[in-house]
Amino acid sequence: MIGEGRLKEVARKLFSLRGADQLEVVVRAGTLSLTRFAVNQIHQNVTEENVQATVRAVLKNRIGVAKVNAIEDESLKWAAERAIDAAKCAKENRNFKTLPAPEVCRSVHSHFASIRKASPQWRAESVRKVVDRVEGRGLTAAGALSVHETELGVFNSLGVEAYHPSTWIRLTSVVSSEDSSGYSQFMGPDLDRLKPIDLAEEAIAKCLKARHPVEIDPGRYDVFLEEYALSEIFAWLSWIGMGARSFQEGKSFMSDRIGEKIMDEKVTIWDDGNDPQTPALPFDFEGVPRKKVMIIEEGIARGVVYDTITSAKEGKSSTGHALPSDLSLVGPLPLHLHMAGGTESKSSIISSIEKGIWVTRFHYINGLLKPREALFTGMTRDGTFLIENGKSTAALKNLRFTESMLRAFSNVVAVSREKKAVGTEESDTSVVPAVWIKDFNFTGKTQF
Amino acid sequence: MKERFLGVLDYLKRKVDYADIRILDESTQEIRVKNGEVNPVHDRNRGYGIRVMRKGSWGFASSCVFDRARVQKTAKEAMEIAGASATLRKEKVEMSEIEVAVDSYEMPSIKDPFEVPFEEKVSLLLDCDRVMRQHRDVKVAEGWLEFRKTKKDFMSTEGARIEQLIVMSGGGISCQTKRGGDVQNRSFSDYGTRGYEFIESMNLPKESERLREEASQLLVAPECPCESSTLLLGGSQLALQIHESCGHPIELDRVLGTEAGFYGTSFLTLDKVGKFRYGSEHVTITADATLAGGLGSFAYDDEGVRAQRTVIVDKGIFKGYLTSRETTKNLGQRSNGCMRASSWSRIPLIRLTNVNLEPGAWPLEGLIGDTEKGILMDTTKSWSIDDRRLNFQFGCEIAWEIRRGKLVRMLKNPVYTGITPQFWSSCDAVCDRKHWRIWGVPHCGKGEPEQTIPVGHGVAPARFRGVQVGVKR
């Protein structure tokens, strides 16, 4: 860890350079260690130490950016000079007014000392606990255990000095038999909460339940989406429509629909970067405190998330959702989505479904077919089942869906009270329930 | 500084079964313009990765800190990690033999993109932006240029000493129109291991005019029907089709299960080599890292294996995989040089190089003229395929209906779907070399931590019979 004091010192020294009206430096540093396993053995085991400094230079309202993976004086000076040169070539940006002024950020505890235990031996031993369980049942395990220790500092010449250290652990397992597979995932900031054997058992149970799958014709079915499946849909909803760029460009499913009912009233979705169930980050990559933003409230479109440039365009304030400045044309995105839970348990919901399809998770979703309709396609994976008269009666071969998420979320019958934090490595995480949706459109099938 | 690493390599030679070190120094320039808003980014990225095989297991450690003590510490971390891997390793890793190379290579380019004034590049994109926004239907115009210069040093305990300098240039333009609730998009992009001359050859301002008109016309075009149809695919879409349905399933590490926990496995299992009918007799697919200008071209892979051309599918019959030294040892083969890492901080994996559909004999005009009824689709809009690479569904930006050998009208929101070997078996014609072009795909994803890597696909337009187009809703 470099530490807050050292990063402040580096930033202050950078701001003494001449040539820009305003300067910003974002430093992201840390280690990532990852142990990958497949066919019941470790096949890839890596560690990485890196630091990334991104300098944004402002000349009136022209902006240039330069990145370098070092923080010694010479490297940062190089980056500042390149950023200033780039800004001189850029056109004036009418929507840019100024870098943000300092604001007080919430303090979120997301750096856990337990990370010190995460040696290569500890990682191998944790993976062994999964593999031993799986192998003992005559099955095959694959997956990855990753351990992050990261510090993020955002500093600008107007006095922003935001710093946040964090830890993050994630273990995924795909357990396979000859004709089936199951999945489980843990993620969180404290490795003491990792229970490899429990995760192995979850994936084993799903894999065994999914044995001897039968084919079913595509068509419209009621569907029970587990949290893993819903989280993958949320990642695409965030990307295509919950940020101000796509909203202002008119291609978001939220564009021109604020205040309208676009989903069922059982659907409430918000973003909260301060919740430690996700990789909490109390400020964005401009140093603006992350606000809790209501996106869909009881089915009604309420708003999207903003950074300084997109908020200025609408005369609003940033909600604290800026991405790193080299991605400013992508625009702000919600990276910590939540959906409100319901009142029923998952088992109670399943018992109410007369005929439907139970989906553990999706594979390779794509949400670019018609972003205005949130028309998505994707495949089921790692456990798909037929539900008849409230019971799971058969494992199914995998299916392709092609469906508008506006239509699907307007057809929500029930939402589970249980919720789970699910996500990819460090972004696109969400805390979601399981849902029952009626008339979900399955459009194709595969051979396994 | 290289002496520092050679010293560590000498140390490792005494301690481990095998080790290699990659040192990378990358410079990148990326300029994006969206509706007149300019976002220019410079990037300099340096670091090294040390891979060791100890007790028959792999360990890898990497760092961006170059002082002697840190280099030594990184080497020891790699050894410790390999030791931990060995506690859960049933079969010891072994590697097939190679010809150990001592070489220096610089990829040829005519015009160094880093010597072209920054202002000139910004000006080119602003010109495209202006041209695309001349139509009132155009709500978003976007253009981008990206240049990367990678200096890579590779050294191994076997004695390999390889220096490579690779230059990449690429870019594109995109034009979004909107009327009422309908949003349409047209785009054009390409990348290659060439200098700035590659950008000049793309003629982006002229393409901007075409995209602007097509994006506007799409707003009033009818929807692509839902039916079984003869399908013609243009080059840029066929590149994606090969990428997803041939490129990924032929990665031998995926076939052996090492991606099962993330991206999935492959339907092209080992028993299929030499006898499985992957496609029709018109389908011959090669992997060729030696193609001049291909985005997946290089001189040596990240294990020091020389770049090669390999036949993957020969007249429809599946012949073999993309391989590495580790995966070929048990097969009694040698690596065909496909181990690539996306950066100094990532371990090499089997990756696509330039995976190509070899040209046929048809001129494009002749192929359209020979089609009584069908649909021509081009430019990828959406892509999805199952985790064994069988069921796919791809959407394109644009299509044209073909009637009696002529393109009669534009269609919007085209989608087609199929099962990989059935789809390739329905191929009855491929266009000739005149229409063959290597398309650069800059962000191919694989692995954990995820690695995105540039790859290429040489293709000419081709025809497929009895394909399901459109989606029942």
Side-chain angles (χ1 to χ4, degrees):
Chain A
M1 297 282 278
I2 298 167
E4 184 174 11
R6 165 85 174 120
L7 289 179
K8 279 183 180 170
E9 191 183 305
V10 163
R12 287 171 185 165
K13 196 165 182 182
L14 179 76
F15 299 148
S16 66
L17 292 174
R18 299 276 174 247
D21 297 330
Q22 298 179 345
L23 277 174
E24 172 192 84
V25 61
V26 177
V27 181
R28 188 179 171 89
T31 57
L32 160 62
S33 300
L34 183 142
T35 301
R36 244 183 145 194
F37 54 104
V39 203
N40 293 339
Q41 59 183 347
I42 292 173
H43 67 96
Q44 185 181 320
N45 208 349
V46 302
T47 191
E48 166 191 349
E49 174 194 41
N50 200 3
V51 57
Q52 182 71 56
T54 304
V55 177
R56 178 159 60 156
V58 179
L59 278 72
K60 200 177 170 194
N61 57 357
R62 296 168 187 260
I63 299 168
V65 178
K67 296 157 62 178
V68 65
N69 70 328
I71 56 167
E72 79 273 11
D73 293 351
E74 193 185 329
S75 295
L76 286 177
K77 185 167 178 286
W78 175 90
E81 288 171 354
R82 293 291 81 68
I84 290 166
D85 287 347
K88 286 175 183 168
C89 298
K91 215 176 150 188
E92 291 188 4
N93 185 335
R94 283 172 300 157
N95 295 318
F96 180 83
K97 310 298 179 201
T98 176
L99 291 175
E103 288 183 66
V104 177
C105 294
R106 276 176 61 177
S107 176
V108 181
H109 175 52
S110 48
H111 185 277
F112 284 74
S114 56
I115 198 81
R116 298 277 165 260
K117 299 178 200 167
S119 65
Q121 289 74 21
W122 178 86
R123 299 199 311 269
E125 197 48 44
S126 300
V127 169
R128 173 178 286 287
K129 288 175 184 168
V130 174
V131 167
D132 283 351
R133 281 285 163 138
V134 171
E135 209 169 22
R137 307 293 285 273
L139 304 170
T140 305
L145 171 58
S146 60
V147 179
H148 299 253
E149 186 174 30
T150 309
E151 50 191 329
L152 178 71
V154 181
F155 310 91
N156 76 28
S157 54
L158 301 184
V160 166
E161 290 187 332
Y163 175 81
H164 181 71
S166 62
T167 52
W168 198 248
I169 294 91
R170 184 170 178 267
L171 174 60
T172 57
S173 296
V174 171
V175 172
S176 304
S177 73
E178 283 172 17
D179 62 1
S180 67
S181 56
Y183 179 75
S184 65
Q185 180 192 115
F186 164 84
M187 60 178 210
D190 183 4
L191 65 77
D192 282 339
R193 300 189 65 179
L194 174 67
K195 309 288 183 212
I197 293 173
D198 291 354
L199 283 175
E201 290 296 345
E202 180 187 342
I204 288 168
K206 190 58 71 71
C207 174
L208 293 175
K209 185 181 163 75
R211 294 223 57 183
H212 314 303
V214 297
E215 203 169 279
I216 192 170
D217 285 336
R220 288 198 173 272
Y221 294 89
D222 281 16
V223 69
F224 178 75
L225 301 181
E226 282 194 36
E227 299 94 325
Y228 298 128
L230 197 62
S231 175
E232 289 169 64
I233 288 173
F234 269 45
W236 271 96
L237 287 173
S238 164
W239 172 251
I240 65 159
M242 292 178 170
R245 277 277 177 187
S246 60
F247 177 76
Q248 291 170 351
E249 288 166 1
K251 62 186 174 190
S252 160
F253 58 88
M254 303 280 284
S255 302
D256 311 319
R257 289 172 177 154
I258 298 300
E260 286 180 25
K261 189 164 184 295
I262 62 171
M263 296 179 182
D264 185 88
E265 63 195 19
K266 289 184 276 302
V267 179
T268 292
I269 301 170
W270 68 92
D271 186 79
D272 184 1
N274 293 293
D275 189 321
Q277 293 178 88
T278 57
L281 192 51
F283 51 86
D284 69 4
F285 290 89
E286 294 182 311
V288 175
R290 286 185 188 273
K291 296 179 179 65
K292 182 176 174 178
V293 176
M294 185 58 71
I295 297 169
I296 308 284
E297 186 175 27
E298 295 180 350
I300 296 170
R302 289 297 184 201
V304 294
V305 300
Y306 293 87
D307 57 12
T308 55
I309 290 178
T310 54
S311 59
K313 193 170 181 182
E314 293 183 40
K316 295 181 172 178
S317 299
S318 169
T319 57
H321 289 82
L323 296 185
S325 55
D326 55 312
L327 300 173
S328 73
L329 290 181
V330 173
L333 289 176
L335 302 175
H336 309 82
L337 286 172
H338 294 249
M339 179 169 164
T343 54
E344 288 186 73
S345 68
K346 289 197 280 187
S347 56
S348 166
I349 291 172
I350 290 167
S351 70
S352 303
I353 299 173
E354 195 175 322
K355 185 174 184 187
I357 292 175
W358 173 345
V359 177
T360 300
R361 63 187 295 228
F362 289 122
H363 175 79
Y364 224 138
I365 289 181
N366 191 294
L368 298 174
L369 282 81
K370 288 185 181 176
R372 278 286 288 166
E373 296 176 23
L375 182 65
F376 290 13
T377 189
M379 294 295 301
T380 65
R381 181 179 176 182
D382 298 331
T384 307
F385 308 97
L386 179 64
I387 303 170
E388 292 174 302
N389 300 319
K391 289 197 173 104
S392 167
T393 54
L396 296 177
K397 291 188 179 180
N398 289 299
L399 294 159
R400 170 173 296 288
F401 76 91
T402 307
E403 179 62 289
S404 157
M405 290 304 119
L406 296 185
R407 188 182 188 282
F409 282 92
S410 294
N411 284 339
V412 170
V413 181
V415 177
S416 75
R417 64 170 175 253
E418 302 99 326
K419 291 172 66 174
K420 189 177 278 191
V422 188
T424 55
E425 275 299 311
E426 270 195 298
S427 58
D428 293 339
T429 55
S430 53
V431 182
V432 291
V435 292
W436 170 12
I437 294 171
K438 67 182 179 191
D439 290 336
F440 198 77
N441 194 21
F442 288 100
T443 55
K445 57 187 176 184
T446 190
Q447 297 174 349
F448 59 95
Chain B
M1 184 166 59
K2 202 178 280 186
E3 293 306 314
R4 192 173 302 167
F5 289 98
L6 289 171
V8 165
L9 208 55
D10 278 343
Y11 166 79
L12 288 171
K13 200 169 181 177
R14 297 192 297 273
K15 299 282 184 184
V16 301
D17 308 330
Y18 167 86
D20 58 39
I21 301 177
R22 278 179 301 114
I23 310 156
L24 263 75
D25 186 346
E26 282 193 325
S27 296
T28 306
Q29 262 186 19
E30 186 177 357
I31 308 163
R32 282 189 174 263
V33 171
K34 196 178 208 181
N35 283 357
E37 193 177 327
V38 182
N39 193 34
V41 181
H42 293 274
D43 190 1
R44 176 104 191 265
N45 196 290
R46 298 166 67 233
Y48 55 91
I50 301 177
R51 184 175 74 146
V52 307
M53 192 204 297
R54 184 177 169 225
K55 299 179 184 173
S57 292
W58 287 116
F60 177 83
S62 61
S63 177
C64 61
V65 183
F66 280 78
D67 66 65
R68 188 178 301 277
R70 193 62 68 97
V71 173
Q72 289 170 349
K73 179 172 173 277
T74 304
K76 285 176 180 166
E77 278 178 350
M79 287 172 55
E80 185 190 3
I81 291 169
S85 302
T87 64
L88 192 55
R89 183 84 208 181
K90 296 174 173 68
E91 301 157 14
K92 287 191 172 184
V93 176
E94 292 182 274
M95 297 198 296
S96 57
E97 300 293 312
I98 59 166
E99 287 173 23
V100 174
V102 177
D103 200 359
S104 180
Y105 173 81
E106 189 169 326
M107 193 154 271
S109 65
I110 296 167
K111 208 167 176 179
D112 184 342
F114 290 83
E115 295 297 320
V116 175
F118 208 68
E119 296 86 337
E120 186 179 325
K121 299 166 191 163
V122 173
S123 175
L124 170 66
L125 291 176
L126 286 171
D127 281 350
C128 295
D129 186 82
R130 181 181 49 75
V131 169
M132 286 190 282
R133 287 198 288 157
Q134 278 170 353
H135 198 294
R136 64 181 177 173
D137 288 332
V138 174
K139 305 303 177 198
V140 183
E142 190 169 8
W144 62 95
L145 295 173
E146 188 177 352
F147 308 99
R148 181 169 301 135
K149 193 178 281 188
T150 303
K151 185 176 179 303
K152 188 188 297 187
D153 285 324
F154 175 86
M155 53 188 77
S156 77
T157 49
E158 292 175 327
R161 304 285 184 270
I162 300 167
E163 294 176 2
Q164 293 186 83
L165 180 67
I166 294 175
V167 174
M168 181 208 83
S169 298
I173 45 177
S174 171
C175 183
Q176 180 197 305
T177 52
K178 182 168 187 266
R179 202 182 292 175
D182 192 12
V183 177
Q184 294 295 326
N185 202 68
R186 284 294 288 129
S187 64
F188 167 66
S189 68
D190 203 3
Y191 295 76
T193 49
R194 295 200 184 275
Y196 197 74
E197 69 276 6
F198 183 76
I199 301 300
E200 291 170 332
S201 73
M202 289 173 75
N203 200 355
L204 292 173
K206 183 75 180 165
E207 290 295 315
S208 299
E209 291 177 19
R210 178 176 66 86
L211 297 189
R212 177 192 68 203
E213 296 308 313
E214 288 179 350
S216 174
Q217 291 162 19
L218 279 169
L219 291 173
V220 293
E223 286 272 333
C224 180
C226 181
E227 62 187 20
S228 175
S229 174
T230 293
L231 175 68
L232 275 67
L233 291 181
S236 69
Q237 176 57 27
L238 200 47
L240 186 274
Q241 178 73 48
I242 287 178
H243 182 96
E244 300 288 8
S245 68
C246 182
H248 283 302
I250 60 172
E251 297 160 343
L252 186 50
D253 55 353
R254 177 191 292 264
V255 174
L256 297 174
T258 58
E259 287 290 325
F262 190 41
Y263 272 116
T265 57
S266 170
F267 73 97
L268 284 170
T269 45
L270 292 174
D271 57 303
K272 292 187 170 69
V273 177
K275 53 192 175 196
F276 180 71
R277 179 156 285 285
Y278 174 89
S280 71
E281 70 273 21
H282 303 284
V283 177
T284 292
I285 294 173
T286 57
D288 190 350
T290 70
L291 284 175
L295 193 61
S297 296
F298 46 82
Y300 295 88
D301 77 353
D302 288 332
E303 290 191 308
V305 178
R306 194 161 184 84
Q308 295 166 39
R309 179 179 190 273
T310 305
V311 175
I312 303 295
V313 174
D314 187 18
K315 296 189 177 95
I317 303 299
F318 174 56
K319 291 292 184 185
Y321 299 101
L322 308 175
T323 66
S324 64
R325 296 185 66 187
E326 179 182 345
T327 55
T328 47
K329 176 69 180 176
N330 288 339
L331 300 178
Q333 299 172 6
R334 286 194 167 199
S335 168
N336 56 21
C338 297
M339 284 289 270
R340 305 172 67 197
S342 65
S343 83
W344 54 265
S345 63
R346 297 287 185 264
I347 199 163
L349 304 173
I350 294 178
R351 305 306 301 263
L352 281 63
T353 55
N354 303 298
V355 179
N356 318 300
L357 176 65
E358 294 298 308
W362 288 81
L364 179 59
E365 305 72 27
L367 188 60
I368 294 170
D370 184 65
T371 304
E372 177 65 18
K373 182 174 182 293
I375 296 174
L376 167 62
M377 298 187 192
D378 207 5
T379 315
T380 307
K381 183 179 182 183
S382 66
W383 56 100
S384 175
I385 190 164
D386 72 39
D387 58 292
R388 291 187 199 168
R389 304 270 152 182
L390 281 164
N391 177 303
F392 62 82
Q393 180 173 302
F394 300 134
C396 294
E397 288 182 353
I398 194 165
W400 291 268
E401 185 180 1
I402 303 169
R403 292 277 175 159
R404 296 185 193 87
K406 289 196 166 54
L407 303 180
V408 293
R409 60 174 180 165
M410 191 180 282
L411 301 170
K412 67 177 161 192
N413 303 323
V415 173
Y416 67 99
T417 185
I419 298 289
T420 296
Q422 294 169 9
F423 178 80
W424 284 105
S425 293
S426 76
C427 178
D428 75 343
V430 180
C431 285
D432 58 21
R433 189 161 289 281
K434 188 181 155 202
H435 295 90
W436 198 84
R437 169 179 177 157
I438 310 169
W439 293 87
V441 176
H443 301 121
C444 169
K446 185 179 177 182
E448 292 177 284
E450 186 155 20
Q451 301 194 36
T452 57
I453 209 161
V455 304
H457 299 290
V459 294
R463 185 171 65 187
F464 304 83
R465 298 290 193 180
V467 178
Q468 177 63 43
V469 302
V471 177
K472 280 186 190 163
R473 297 188 63 192

